Amino acid sequence: MSTIKGPKGKIIAGNLLEFREDPLQFLDKLRSDYKDVAKVRFANRIIYVLMNPDLVKEALVTKASSFEKSNQFKEIMPLVGEGLLTSEGDVHMRQRRMMQPSFKKSTIQNYAESMSSVASKAVEQWQNQDTRSINVDMMNIALGIICKTMFSMDVQESHESIGQPIDDAMHIATKRIRSLIRVPYRIPTSENKRFKAAIHILDEVVYGIIEHRRTLPYSEYEDLLAILLKTKDETDESYMNDQQIRDEAMTIFLAGHETTANAMSWALYLLATHPEVQQKAQEEIDRVVGDSSLQLEHAEKLTYVKNIINESLRLFPPAWLFGRTAIDDVEIGDIKIKAGQNVLFSPYINHRSEEFFDQPNTFIPERFEGDFLKTIPPYAYFPFGGGPRVCIGNHFAMLEATIVLATVLQKFTVSPVYPNQTVEAQPLITLRPKGDLLLQVMRR
């Protein structure tokens, strides 16, 4: 076996400081210098960054049973508990089995009308020539959609009440994941107190809804919470308790609100800076939808809008980096990975590979026409992860993004606020636009 190479690091920190300073640039240089796999060290942790699609597939699919979620990712467990995002082994399999009916394509399609209604009400508040903080708008719309489809709640201007605690918890968890020394949560530092306060606010909201809903007949609602409350585990006929439902609800809040909002924000930014693509999308929307409100049958026909979303997910995948920890000694390709060592995968760098994507740093939605994805290895493009832990909400996210983007473009044209406007990517747990993503909206 050839020796796996990687960048030389500092004596104590290894490559961690360089990674923390600019994660995306660090990963990009790994791809440039080492191509398929690189060995790095974050303090005392040995990590193999897998960049070859075949190696990624082997770790995520073929030998998935030899890995579990990396320990660093479990810094968000105080927020999401032992939900689908963080659970392992038999617990994860049971939860996924119970959650699957909530996210079947046929079930998700029932939420199209709610998605359209929330998006339309939000966009109706926009004024001609407004300068909008598009990332805040998309966070509010995504949060409104999650609240409506999860809890049958109408949430207006909800970013401060629910979105802000999620933001606080995400920033603190990201900082801890990248730290050499982590102060235990039980020690009352100002940051730990802020983290606990954010979770307390969210717990009050979610437990309050669950408690109220248990007093009502399940038949009164057809939302995700109703499905969770009445779903039985087919193996032992048991239901989820309040703690399990809270954990799953919080996981859906985090995954369904944060990631989809970021995906839609990036798509609108790319459309604003590529007016010819935006015009082509609007022509399709005018042809398919006209002046009607967006419905499921429209969304299914908006193929170019979906290509835009796929291309945006290629350039700015919200789940830009994730990892696994080996639970026993395992070989991936010719790499001998010991139990306790880590592997990292980055859709961000795989998606920008010149080997599989022509002009990889250029926004070209047309590349997704036809059977393009069948011409490249499966894990050259994997915005929703893969294997047994592939994102359970991928159909939900794609339908939501299609409806929201089409609703915006049906009524408005988006453009940069100033010439040559660029937005920096901020790699937290998800890949966000840094700061306010300001765009001007012009009524059509």
Side-chain angles (χ1 to χ4, degrees):
M1 183 195 77
S2 59
T3 302
I4 306 301
K5 297 180 179 179
K8 186 178 179 181
K10 304 291 185 183
I11 293 175
I12 296 176
N15 308 106
L16 182 59
L17 301 181
E18 188 182 356
F19 172 79
R20 285 173 59 185
E21 185 177 344
D22 193 334
L24 299 180
Q25 186 179 55
F26 177 80
L27 291 168
D28 201 45
K29 194 168 189 316
L30 289 184
R31 180 189 60 194
S32 173
D33 291 349
Y34 304 100
K35 191 181 177 185
D36 287 341
V37 58
K39 183 179 181 180
V40 300
R41 181 172 61 85
F42 291 173
N44 62 344
R45 287 186 283 135
I46 299 298
I47 299 169
Y48 295 92
V49 182
L50 305 182
M51 298 171 280
N52 178 290
D54 293 337
L55 297 179
V56 174
K57 181 180 179 182
E58 193 172 351
L60 286 179
V61 183
T62 316
K63 297 181 179 175
S65 60
S66 293
F67 295 93
E68 64 179 12
K69 280 276 183 110
S70 59
N71 291 330
Q72 290 66 41
F73 195 77
K74 293 176 182 177
E75 288 297 330
I76 65 168
M77 282 191 77
L79 174 60
V80 299
E82 199 173 19
L84 203 59
L85 203 60
T86 52
S87 59
E88 297 291 352
D90 292 342
V91 173
H92 177 79
M93 289 174 64
R94 176 181 183 272
Q95 287 170 303
R96 187 151 188 126
R97 192 167 57 240
M98 294 182 76
M99 292 281 286
Q100 199 69 54
S102 307
F103 290 95
K104 287 191 304 185
K105 195 171 182 180
S106 57
T107 306
I108 295 305
Q109 289 173 339
N110 295 332
Y111 302 133
E113 189 172 340
S114 293
M115 293 173 177
S116 179
S117 173
V118 171
S120 292
K121 285 178 183 176
V123 172
E124 281 170 7
Q125 306 304 311
W126 296 6
Q127 300 298 317
N128 189 37
Q129 297 186 10
D130 264 359
T131 294
R132 306 292 310 184
S133 294
I134 286 293
N135 49 334
V136 175
D137 284 330
M138 292 303 109
M139 283 285 184
N140 276 319
I141 289 173
L143 190 56
I145 287 172
I146 280 294
C147 287
K148 185 72 173 173
T149 57
M150 179 92 203
F151 298 126
S152 298
M153 286 173 54
D154 288 312
V155 180
Q156 299 297 326
E157 298 304 316
S158 52
H159 190 257
E160 291 301 315
S161 59
I162 302 176
Q164 193 59 52
I166 291 177
D167 282 354
D168 287 345
M170 289 276 287
H171 275 92
I172 293 166
T174 301
K175 186 176 177 182
R176 289 176 65 87
I177 286 169
R178 297 180 188 170
S179 296
L180 281 171
I181 300 171
R182 302 184 184 103
V183 179
Y185 283 121
R186 66 178 180 275
I187 297 175
T189 64
S190 59
E191 200 166 74
N192 283 351
K193 286 193 282 188
R194 192 155 58 95
F195 190 66
K196 287 183 177 180
I199 294 169
H200 178 71
I201 292 169
L202 295 168
D203 275 349
E204 281 194 327
V205 172
V206 175
Y207 276 124
I209 294 168
I210 293 170
E211 183 180 350
H212 173 67
R213 191 65 71 81
R214 285 207 185 275
T215 67
L216 303 173
Y218 293 156
S219 58
E220 283 197 22
Y221 293 91
E222 295 181 354
D223 53 20
L224 288 170
L225 179 58
I227 295 173
L228 293 181
L229 284 165
K230 66 187 178 185
T231 296
K232 286 183 183 180
D233 184 349
E234 60 191 31
T235 58
D236 61 10
E237 298 289 300
S238 64
Y239 294 94
M240 291 188 192
N241 59 35
D242 284 3
Q243 174 74 49
Q244 288 174 297
I245 292 174
R246 176 264 179 215
D247 291 352
E248 299 303 352
M250 208 68 83
T251 296
I252 293 168
F253 255 127
L254 178 65
H257 154 240
E258 173 82 16
T259 55
T260 311
N262 288 332
M264 296 187 299
S265 298
W266 285 120
L268 286 168
Y269 165 67
L270 289 165
L271 287 167
T273 52
H274 295 79
E276 71 289 350
V277 174
Q278 183 172 190
Q279 182 180 346
K280 187 174 175 181
Q282 287 174 325
E283 289 169 357
E284 179 184 68
I285 293 163
D286 292 346
R287 186 173 63 253
V288 172
V289 187
D291 295 329
S292 306
S293 62
L294 263 290
Q295 302 297 326
L296 176 64
E297 60 266 26
H298 299 137
E300 290 175 338
K301 296 174 184 174
L302 294 172
T303 55
Y304 190 63
V305 173
K306 290 175 189 173
N307 289 343
I308 288 168
I309 296 164
N310 283 327
E311 178 70 343
S312 179
L313 289 172
R314 186 185 70 80
L315 287 169
F316 297 105
W320 63 283
L321 183 73
F322 58 97
R324 299 283 187 268
T325 300
I327 55 178
D328 47 43
D329 293 353
V330 60
E331 284 192 33
I332 301 295
D334 61 355
I335 312 162
K336 293 186 185 299
I337 299 170
K338 296 178 181 177
Q341 292 183 334
N342 298 270
V343 291
L344 277 182
F345 321 94
S346 174
Y348 179 86
I349 54 173
N350 275 41
H351 292 182
R352 292 171 181 250
S353 168
E354 292 181 354
E355 187 175 353
F356 305 112
F357 301 98
D358 183 42
Q359 301 179 68
N361 296 314
T362 304
F363 179 57
I364 309 173
E366 287 76 9
R367 75 171 84 241
F368 281 93
E369 291 174 355
D371 293 329
F372 168 70
L373 287 176
K374 294 180 181 178
T375 70
I376 60 174
Y379 287 84
Y381 180 77
F382 57 118
F384 295 105
R389 303 195 75 116
V390 66
C391 175
I392 198 171
N394 53 2
H395 295 306
F396 188 105
M398 283 299 295
L399 180 60
E400 177 182 358
T402 303
I403 288 174
V404 172
L405 287 183
T407 300
V408 170
L409 296 179
Q410 182 189 37
K411 297 176 173 63
F412 288 92
T413 295
V414 294
S415 59
V417 175
Y418 48 86
N420 303 315
Q421 182 176 347
T422 58
V423 176
E424 187 180 341
Q426 184 179 30
L428 299 175
I429 291 176
T430 60
L431 192 63
R432 291 181 165 196
K434 188 172 184 179
D436 268 352
L437 199 175
L438 300 176
L439 295 178
Q440 188 177 58
V441 296
M442 301 284 290
R443 191 174 293 281
R444 297 181 64 201

